[in-house]
Amino acid sequence: MKSLLLFLLILPYTSVTIAQIKTCKELKEGVFYSYPKNSSKQYQLTRKGDIQTERDLSTGDSSLWKISWLNDCTYSLYFISGSAKLTDELRTFAKAHSLITKIESTTDDFYSYHIYIDKVAGKYLLADTIWFQKKLVAANNTMFEHVPATTSLKKINFSSKSPFALLYVYRPDKFIAGKVDYLLYFDENIMCTSKNGTGYIFKIFKEGDFNLLARIYNEKDVTLNVHIKFGDKVFVKSEFKTISFDINGLRPKLLVVDAEKGSEEFSAIEVQ
């Protein structure tokens, strides 16, 4: 889900100004900072009582969240309001679900966490780190960037000498599992939601070998190693294979296809 990714980007990825906090109980109030993966964004969160107030340090956009502690190291976040403009789909999702954050470990400088949808046993989304002090210099962590369907590739001046690669991920329109969507990750960073008959184009800003991961509701992850080289176009096709004749028997299948076949098949789908 593209909107799910946007939803996650405005979450309270945060940290505390009090030094040497090591226990979960000491994280229930304070000022926190976060530098999300695959992003140049910086967030500041003020947590007090059952309210979190977030602020994007680049744009000044802010949002309010209701926080409820389920135990010392696990809390839920429910979106209340925000100044950033949301799509109807994103707003519907935000109002229908809560995000469960489970603190996995703490140090003097940060804590690490996992996020799930609605419950700890629910769909796992991502893992990240929250810092207790604002960084003097924040690195740009951007690994990839979505190229919207409305953007002409001519406008980005792509060539064999470009300082990035283009990754095309697509899913042909098929009857089998046609209504089943799943998240696609690039090196453990949420990239998009794979929907039947749709595709995406991404700029990739890192070279080397990376894992694409398809994560579905039954938590049976499927991975594919892809080699990225600047100036190349890489086409990755996703399909479903059937292990058994019930819904838990469905598994995504990822494969790299050659540029000629990939370009032809990609032209037949709805680009997001």
Side-chain angles (χ1 to χ4, degrees):
M1 292 167 284
K2 181 174 67 174
S3 59
L4 176 56
L5 177 59
L6 295 174
F7 180 52
L8 290 170
L9 289 176
I10 61 171
L11 292 182
Y13 300 141
T14 58
S15 275
V16 157
T17 57
I18 304 172
Q20 299 184 342
I21 293 179
K22 296 182 180 181
T23 66
C24 294
K25 288 182 178 180
E26 295 173 279
L27 301 174
K28 294 186 176 182
E29 294 200 353
V31 179
F32 302 80
Y33 298 91
S34 175
Y35 308 89
K37 295 178 180 178
N38 190 49
S39 174
S40 61
K41 292 284 190 179
Q42 303 176 47
Y43 293 92
Q44 177 182 291
L45 168 84
T46 301
R47 181 181 296 164
K48 187 173 182 180
D50 63 352
I51 295 294
Q52 285 194 166
T53 304
E54 284 183 53
R55 186 165 64 93
D56 184 325
L57 296 179
S58 300
T59 66
D61 287 331
S62 61
S63 58
L64 290 178
W65 302 77
K66 179 177 174 58
I67 181 170
S68 300
W69 287 86
L70 307 180
N71 57 47
D72 286 345
C73 294
T74 305
Y75 57 89
S76 68
L77 293 169
Y78 182 77
F79 179 73
I80 299 173
S81 64
S83 60
K85 185 177 181 180
L86 302 179
T87 65
D88 290 341
E89 184 180 4
L90 175 54
R91 189 173 297 279
T92 298
F93 177 88
K95 289 295 186 181
H97 298 280
S98 61
L99 298 174
I100 308 300
T101 301
K102 183 179 180 182
I103 300 171
E104 298 293 339
S105 63
T106 64
T107 72
D108 291 348
D109 300 314
F110 61 84
Y111 71 82
S112 60
Y113 63 91
H114 290 168
I115 290 183
Y116 305 83
I117 295 179
D118 292 331
K119 55 185 178 180
V120 173
K123 181 181 288 186
Y124 167 75
L125 292 179
L126 56 83
D128 211 333
T129 301
I130 288 177
W131 295 83
F132 301 152
Q133 300 288 341
K134 184 178 179 181
K135 294 183 178 181
L136 295 178
V137 178
N140 186 337
N141 299 318
T142 304
M143 298 182 67
F144 58 83
E145 177 181 281
H146 177 227
V147 180
T150 55
T151 300
S152 169
L153 292 182
K154 293 182 179 180
K155 293 182 180 180
I156 63 176
N157 299 315
F158 180 75
S159 72
S160 60
K161 297 182 179 180
S162 294
F164 57 89
L166 288 180
L167 175 64
Y168 296 73
V169 293
Y170 65 100
R171 181 176 161 190
D173 192 358
K174 300 290 185 180
F175 175 76
I176 296 178
K179 294 184 178 181
V180 178
D181 302 338
Y182 59 86
L183 292 174
L184 188 66
Y185 292 72
F186 182 87
D187 205 37
E188 286 296 330
N189 297 286
I190 294 177
M191 180 170 260
C192 63
T193 296
S194 179
K195 294 185 177 183
N196 197 31
T198 64
Y200 298 82
I201 304 173
F202 294 94
K203 290 181 181 179
I204 308 296
F205 300 110
K206 303 287 185 181
E207 289 186 298
D209 293 320
F210 299 93
N211 282 328
L212 283 178
L213 182 148
R215 177 163 289 150
I216 198 170
Y217 49 83
N218 52 24
E219 300 181 357
K220 299 296 183 181
D221 296 343
V222 175
T223 60
L224 172 72
N225 183 264
V226 293
H227 182 73
I228 300 297
K229 181 181 178 182
F230 291 164
D232 283 355
K233 293 182 179 181
V234 180
F235 290 83
V236 173
K237 178 181 181 179
S238 66
E239 298 178 325
F240 267 91
K241 58 182 178 180
T242 304
I243 306 300
S244 63
F245 293 100
D246 60 27
I247 195 165
N248 290 319
L250 295 173
R251 296 285 187 277
K253 179 181 179 181
L254 302 174
L255 63 156
V256 176
V257 299
D258 64 77
E260 182 178 355
K261 180 179 179 181
S263 181
E264 179 182 353
E265 291 184 332
F266 195 84
S267 65
I269 57 89
E270 179 184 349
V271 182
Q272 301 299 296

